[in-house]
Amino acid sequence: MSATTQRGSAAVPARPRAADTARRRTRGRNERSLGASFALHATLMAASVIAVFPVLWILFISLGPSTAWQQPNEVLHHLGLDNYRFVLLHSHFPRWFLNSVIVAAATTVLGVLVSASAGYAVSRMRFPGHRPLMWTFLITQMFPMAVLIVPLYNLLVQLNLLDTYLGLVLVYCTISVPFCAWMLKGYFDTIPREIDEAGRVDGLTPFGTFWRLIMPLAKPGLAVTAFFSFLTAWGEVAYSNQFMRDPHTTLAVGIRTFAADQRADWGSMTAASVIIAIPAAIVFMLVQKHLVTGLTAGGTKG
Amino acid sequence: MTTATMDEGARDVKAPAPRAPHGAWTSIKRSWDKHWYAWAMVAPVVIVIGVLVLYPLCYGLYLSFTNANERNVAQNIGPIHIGATYDFVGLHNYWQVISGADGDFYPRLEWTVVWTVSCVAITYAIGLAMALLLNRPMRFRLFYRLALILPWAVPAFIGVFAWRLMFNSQYGVFNDIITKVGLPAQDWLGTPFAQKIAVILVNIWCGVPFMMVALLGGLQAIPGELYEAAEMDGATPVQRFFNVTVPGLRPVTNTVILLSTVWTFNMFPIIYLLLGNNTTGDTDILVTHAYEMAFSGGAADYAGSATYGIVILMILVAFSTFYRRQLKTQD
């Protein structure tokens, strides 16, 4: 080990919790000694455990009795699905879940379409207002949304959109669209302009070019955008908490009622959390292949 | 290039180019003929942002010049409508904040800066380290990648809830783990200092995947020939890292640092959900403090909250302008 040269990444501040990160190697960038391989896998394994542990912990607790979080040692002896049964059959959870699915799906579809068309226009056409628009996308992300709640509440009342799905979807779009449009603009920039020209030669309108040629090519970028929009809507708490009333409450707000009663029911809360994480995980699995390419193109060209 | 062709296409669809008489109207019309297509495509975004962000923003700006609070805003109690009775107070609110008279601004700002800098720096360092490790052929790569991105896929409130269970002083597993490693157990959600460490830890846990994925993409975009050339020239791995990897990552780095600074500065859910009401206020960053002002119940101070919102916006705009200018002079 001592005779080997140090690999570049070893110079980076390594993960503090695993001091043995510094890896060494012999030759060739794609070869490494047995020791280096071991250190590499050990580090990644440790990091993976830290990343996954809280989620697995919730899953573990949810399989025990409803007081399992106080005696984690007992869980293995009393494995069962009681928490899930209670959440699915004896609470309003299914209705919250449905509300969240409606809102998140609508936000995703609307957010992706709207930000794609805006991103395309900004990427391909030079028009008055093009630069201020890019600035607006950045600035809207800087405004503390938590502080917008009061004015937004009044506005939704005036528009008759308070406590409606549409109102919440539009509000979520204001969070996700600026980032998505910014990122998609970057992604569209990486698609050669010759394709647009070919489309024009074949007699397509600019919108036709965008819809028939560019959108299919931009799948990785769109996947990341969809992922981001979905997660924004699926996990948002503050707006939903203020704008939606009982039959329309979404998951993030709904599951807090498990904890807000006289006697906090952490068991149900863990089971509900696991069920909520599943759709997010599915969406994530669907898009993860594109995540790296999609995000980079958007990130570098912003 | 394409811009021109696109515009021609747009004109074909619309009317033929306008004729003779010059003047303001004609130039507007010409501009419209040339650009209506682009405007039509950005219109939905502009309308949504304009109505749902700019209007509340202007309204917030207006509120920040008044003394609006829970007692004097317009309300409907049943069928009775009570009109607003708050007054215009000019820059009074801003003076209260900037001069430190409200006693909260500077302590909160200080903690917000500490919070933002430490979160962004640590998240970036870990994200870069993980990206470098993942960016090489090896076994189980897909597994590691999926595992490491997982915190991103889990909705924030669930991740926070998981940590809250783990941090619990009486039954939490986190203390069990760190005492095994030899560190002293803490009441993580009890004392302000431990709370601060706890929220930073959770935020890093949530934030690393985004950094890692963005940087991983950045690493993959660096052409392999550069490394080969460097290797031929006898560059050591450390030199390769500083002379090939770091400059190659610069565009991604600039973007992710800007974005994550803005996001962390305004990170509301993690602090709010992890600590709930179980806080002395010491752990509030500017955003959560502003939220508390508007929704603390009893004495909701809408004007003060709006003032904080505007001040936060100004800080971030100033920061990003400065940041981008610095980058330009570097290049």
Side-chain angles (χ1 to χ4, degrees):
Chain A
M1 285 271 283
S2 54
T4 59
T5 48
Q6 214 182 12
R7 173 76 176 115
S9 55
V12 180
R15 199 170 180 101
R17 269 160 281 196
D20 60 341
T21 338
R23 282 160 308 94
R24 285 141 197 276
R25 54 162 218 124
T26 39
R27 67 181 81 75
R29 287 187 306 117
N30 293 329
E31 299 163 36
R32 52 181 174 262
S33 68
L34 201 64
S37 260
F38 178 76
L40 174 69
H41 282 283
T43 314
L44 283 173
M45 207 62 217
S48 301
V49 168
I50 295 171
V52 174
F53 184 79
V55 182
L56 287 185
W57 184 248
I58 288 256
L59 178 65
F60 177 68
I61 297 287
S62 72
L63 293 172
S66 66
T67 54
W69 69 285
Q70 291 170 335
Q71 303 112 11
N73 305 328
E74 298 292 302
V75 171
L76 282 179
H77 306 295
H78 302 93
L79 283 182
L81 294 173
D82 288 350
N83 289 325
Y84 290 91
R85 204 167 295 132
F86 176 79
V87 165
L88 289 175
L89 301 178
H90 303 286
S91 75
H92 295 308
F93 185 83
R95 200 170 63 205
W96 303 330
F97 195 87
L98 184 68
N99 290 335
S100 273
V101 169
I102 294 172
V103 171
T107 306
T108 310
V109 173
L110 192 67
V112 169
L113 288 181
V114 165
S115 48
S117 89
Y120 180 74
V122 176
S123 161
R124 289 298 202 268
M125 308 173 191
R126 292 286 164 273
F127 55 94
H130 148 270
R131 283 189 72 77
L133 192 62
M134 286 301 281
W135 255 107
T136 315
F137 288 158
L138 193 63
I139 303 233
T140 20
Q141 296 182 49
M142 295 178 191
F143 197 74
M145 298 314 245
V147 180
L148 283 183
I149 289 178
V150 175
L152 259 180
Y153 187 93
N154 294 338
L155 182 66
L156 289 180
V157 170
Q158 283 163 26
L159 296 175
N160 259 331
L161 286 175
L162 195 71
D163 198 13
T164 61
Y165 294 131
L166 180 65
L168 197 62
V169 168
L170 287 177
V171 170
Y172 285 165
C173 280
T174 63
I175 309 178
S176 67
V177 163
F179 175 73
C180 294
W182 212 49
M183 228 183 51
L184 278 175
K185 186 252 173 201
Y187 198 84
F188 290 137
D189 283 347
T190 64
I191 298 176
R193 282 161 180 261
E194 285 74 27
I195 290 175
D196 298 62
E197 272 165 50
R200 192 186 65 85
V201 171
D202 289 347
L204 284 174
T205 61
F207 187 79
T209 313
F210 159 70
W211 187 251
R212 301 238 197 118
L213 298 179
I214 304 298
M215 283 293 261
L217 286 172
K219 262 189 198 144
L222 295 173
V224 181
T225 321
F227 178 60
F228 185 83
S229 303
F230 178 84
L231 278 188
T232 303
W234 194 246
E236 205 280 336
V237 184
Y239 283 152
S240 171
N241 197 16
Q242 300 292 337
F243 298 159
M244 305 302 268
R245 287 293 156 256
D246 193 15
H248 296 130
T249 39
T250 58
L251 285 171
V253 178
I255 70 162
R256 288 171 71 185
T257 57
F258 287 134
D261 290 334
Q262 290 297 316
R263 190 168 51 83
D265 185 357
W266 296 107
S268 305
M269 192 105 165
T270 51
S273 300
V274 172
I275 304 176
I276 294 170
I278 291 172
I282 293 174
V283 173
F284 168 66
M285 286 297 166
L286 291 176
V287 303
Q288 63 88 15
K289 211 170 58 187
H290 301 303
L291 216 50
V292 174
T293 33
L295 195 66
T296 322
T300 47
K301 299 289 170 93
Chain B
M1 325 178 297
T2 328
T3 320
T5 58
M6 297 289 275
D7 294 337
E8 273 166 34
R11 218 173 313 161
D12 289 345
V13 179
K14 189 70 181 172
R19 271 176 288 120
H22 287 284
W25 173 246
T26 324
S27 70
I28 291 174
K29 177 129 173 37
R30 192 170 286 165
S31 167
W32 170 256
D33 282 343
K34 198 166 167 216
H35 299 297
W36 72 274
Y37 221 109
W39 284 335
M41 285 185 85
V42 297
V45 172
V46 172
I47 292 169
V48 170
I49 291 185
V51 174
L52 289 176
V53 177
L54 289 187
Y55 171 80
L57 185 63
C58 295
Y59 187 78
L61 189 65
Y62 165 72
L63 275 184
S64 73
F65 292 122
T66 68
N67 61 359
N69 60 33
E70 200 171 26
R71 285 182 302 283
N72 59 19
V73 291
Q75 3 185 318
N76 291 307
I77 301 172
I80 310 159
H81 180 80
I82 303 170
T85 54
Y86 53 80
D87 298 315
F88 192 76
V89 295
L91 289 170
H92 174 76
N93 292 322
Y94 290 96
W95 178 245
Q96 287 284 309
V97 169
I98 302 297
S99 67
D102 73 344
D104 281 323
F105 179 69
Y106 288 103
R108 296 285 66 79
L109 178 66
E110 190 188 330
W111 162 233
T112 309
V113 171
V114 172
W115 147 267
T116 308
V117 170
S118 49
C119 283
V120 173
I122 301 174
T123 312
Y124 181 79
I126 297 179
L128 180 60
M130 291 300 117
L132 286 166
L133 294 183
L134 277 179
N135 188 33
R136 64 191 66 215
M138 66 175 137
R139 239 173 286 174
F140 314 125
R141 191 169 149 191
L142 183 66
F143 165 78
Y144 289 135
R145 205 174 76 183
L146 290 182
L148 288 173
I149 307 182
L150 186 76
W152 193 11
V154 176
F157 68 94
I158 291 182
V160 171
F161 169 60
W163 280 96
R164 214 173 146 168
L165 273 191
M166 287 164 53
F167 276 140
N168 186 287
S169 59
Q170 225 177 329
Y171 310 109
V173 70
F174 193 73
N175 272 336
D176 294 346
I177 295 173
I178 65 167
T179 44
K180 286 236 171 65
V181 184
L183 295 167
Q186 293 287 331
D187 182 5
W188 288 104
L189 302 178
T191 64
F193 182 72
Q195 285 178 336
K196 286 181 180 180
I197 305 283
V199 287
I200 291 180
L201 270 182
V202 175
N203 193 48
I204 291 170
W205 183 80
C206 292
V208 164
F210 170 77
M211 283 286 190
M212 188 190 74
V213 171
L215 291 170
L216 191 57
L219 285 176
Q220 288 171 359
I222 301 175
E225 295 87 44
L226 290 182
Y227 286 104
E228 277 162 32
E231 219 165 333
M232 298 276 250
D233 293 344
T236 65
V238 178
Q239 285 173 326
R240 285 207 296 268
F241 174 74
F242 283 107
N243 296 321
V244 180
T245 309
V246 171
L249 278 182
R250 187 155 291 151
V252 185
T253 301
N254 293 341
T255 310
V256 293
I257 291 209
L258 178 62
L259 277 180
S260 72
T261 304
V262 170
W263 288 344
T264 313
F265 202 90
N266 281 338
M267 180 56 73
F268 173 76
I270 290 183
I271 292 182
Y272 182 72
L273 293 179
L274 190 68
L275 303 177
N277 296 324
N278 175 27
T279 155
T280 52
D282 277 342
T283 45
D284 275 338
I285 57 173
L286 290 172
V287 177
T288 51
H289 182 68
Y291 182 84
E292 291 289 325
M293 284 173 93
F295 293 99
S296 56
D301 178 3
Y302 299 129
S305 172
T307 310
Y308 267 82
I310 301 293
V311 169
I312 292 170
L313 180 66
M314 288 193 300
I315 294 173
L316 286 174
V317 169
F319 165 77
S320 55
T321 315
F322 177 75
Y323 183 81
R324 297 190 122 190
R325 190 158 300 159
Q326 279 303 103
L327 292 183
K328 275 213 184 97
T329 53
Q330 261 177 34
D331 297 341

